[in-house]
Amino acid sequence: MTENQRYPAAIVVLHWLIAALIVSAFALGTVMTDMRISPTKLQYYSYHKWLGVTVLGLVAIRLLTRLFTHAPTYPASMSAWQAKAADAAHVFLYVLMFAVPLSGYFYTSAAGYPVVYLGLVQLPTFIAPDPALKSSLKELHELLTNVILAVVVLHVLAALKHQFIDKDGLLRRMTLNK
């Protein structure tokens, strides 16, 4: 596989770091919402927010690098409809990677709680406390979280299909191995 058929190392690292953070935030969100109120639950909410803010920042960096870096070519064996579907899925993933943390951030603000990144930096509040809006934003955050979960599962399944069924080397585009 040539260099123009692979993503640069920085993009590969960002991809996998963002993926790990999203999985971590999802797992933590699932655990914390089922807990009774306790100091541990409140700490998990802080960690969850920190993960979301970190994802948001890294996705912004990833998008900027992506705007200035051409994606590697798809394998010649990949059909036109698959390439279009992959491009659409990637755009949708970017939208969701912004929408999920932003909806959580706005939900937190509407609930009347500040977001204090890493317990050190209080981030700005864009929405005043509002119980009705809080409820709507909570539902939106949960819906978007479920949608991104479904799209990520499809993304992984497509990558595995290309790796093990098509054997076209598509997955190597996003690895550091030569």
Side-chain angles (χ1 to χ4, degrees):
M1 180 165 275
T2 65
E3 287 304 310
N4 67 341
Q5 294 171 307
R6 306 174 70 84
Y7 281 99
I11 289 178
V12 171
V13 169
L14 274 174
H15 173 273
W16 292 109
L17 178 58
I18 291 167
L21 292 171
I22 288 172
V23 168
S24 298
F26 180 81
L28 187 57
T30 301
V31 168
M32 72 187 196
T33 55
D34 289 337
M35 295 174 68
R36 290 184 175 188
I37 193 72
S38 68
T40 301
K41 180 175 183 161
L42 295 176
Q43 189 62 58
Y44 284 3
Y45 267 88
S46 292
Y47 296 158
H48 182 76
K49 292 175 195 179
W50 300 348
L51 287 168
V53 170
T54 303
V55 165
L56 190 59
L58 290 175
V59 169
I61 292 168
R62 172 70 176 92
L63 181 60
L64 287 173
T65 60
R66 181 62 190 85
L67 291 174
F68 297 104
T69 306
H70 293 295
T73 57
Y74 290 119
S77 60
M78 193 167 164
S79 67
W81 77 265
Q82 285 180 325
K84 287 179 183 176
D87 289 340
H90 285 111
V91 169
F92 194 38
L93 275 170
Y94 274 106
V95 169
L96 289 167
M97 288 187 292
F98 281 102
V100 171
L102 285 173
S103 65
Y105 189 105
F106 296 149
Y107 160 53
T108 296
S109 294
Y113 298 106
V115 176
V116 183
Y117 188 62
L118 302 177
L120 301 171
V121 180
Q122 184 166 335
L123 301 181
T125 300
F126 298 106
I127 296 174
D130 181 333
L133 187 56
K134 168 191 164 190
S135 178
S136 296
L137 287 169
K138 179 181 181 185
E139 288 180 26
L140 178 64
H141 185 62
E142 290 172 354
L143 173 68
L144 291 173
T145 298
N146 289 327
V147 171
I148 198 170
L149 175 64
V151 175
V152 166
V153 166
L154 288 174
H155 181 70
V156 169
L157 290 174
L160 293 173
K161 174 209 173 265
H162 282 279
Q163 180 68 22
F164 297 110
I165 295 172
D166 299 343
K167 298 180 182 180
D168 58 11
L170 186 74
L171 186 60
R172 285 192 306 252
R173 294 167 14 126
M174 195 51 81
T175 64
L176 294 174
N177 299 334
K178 296 285 178 182

